[in-house]
Amino acid sequence: MVDKLTPSRVNGRHTTLGESVWELGEGPDGKNPQLLFTENESNSVQLWNKENYTPFVKDAFHRYIVDGELTAVNPKMRGSK
């Protein structure tokens, strides 16, 4: 599980690897990068025409960035990816 702590700091937790912290620096434009979060679940609707286990599935980043689907990523800034 990954949680956003600050605009540039993320906390990760794994059942066997333990906890880790990921710190990000400013980009070339002087701004913090935008962090996107989703789960590591396949999009069952797209692949098998079955209901998704979670609304935040693996293709969320593509849907957000390429398709402009802003609701594809988890607004609570949590996920396994």
Side-chain angles (χ1 to χ4, degrees):
M1 179 62 64
V2 179
D3 294 313
K4 179 178 174 184
L5 298 176
T6 71
S8 63
R9 191 170 186 180
V10 175
N11 184 42
R13 289 183 304 281
H14 188 273
T15 54
T16 58
L17 300 175
E19 293 203 18
S20 62
V21 175
W22 182 34
E23 291 226 27
L24 303 155
E26 295 176 347
D29 59 0
K31 297 179 183 177
N32 288 323
Q34 181 180 4
L35 301 177
L36 305 174
F37 294 83
T38 191
E39 296 298 336
N40 192 27
E41 300 291 332
S42 295
N43 188 336
S44 299
V45 171
Q46 286 288 92
L47 296 171
W48 306 292
N49 199 29
K50 294 187 177 189
E51 187 176 342
N52 284 324
Y53 172 73
T54 174
F56 310 111
V57 293
K58 286 182 185 180
D59 66 353
F61 303 128
H62 177 91
R63 290 176 21 229
Y64 183 92
I65 294 167
V66 175
D67 300 334
E69 187 180 333
L70 303 181
T71 59
V73 295
N74 190 336
K76 293 183 179 178
M77 304 298 233
R78 296 177 57 108
S80 57
K81 293 175 82 168

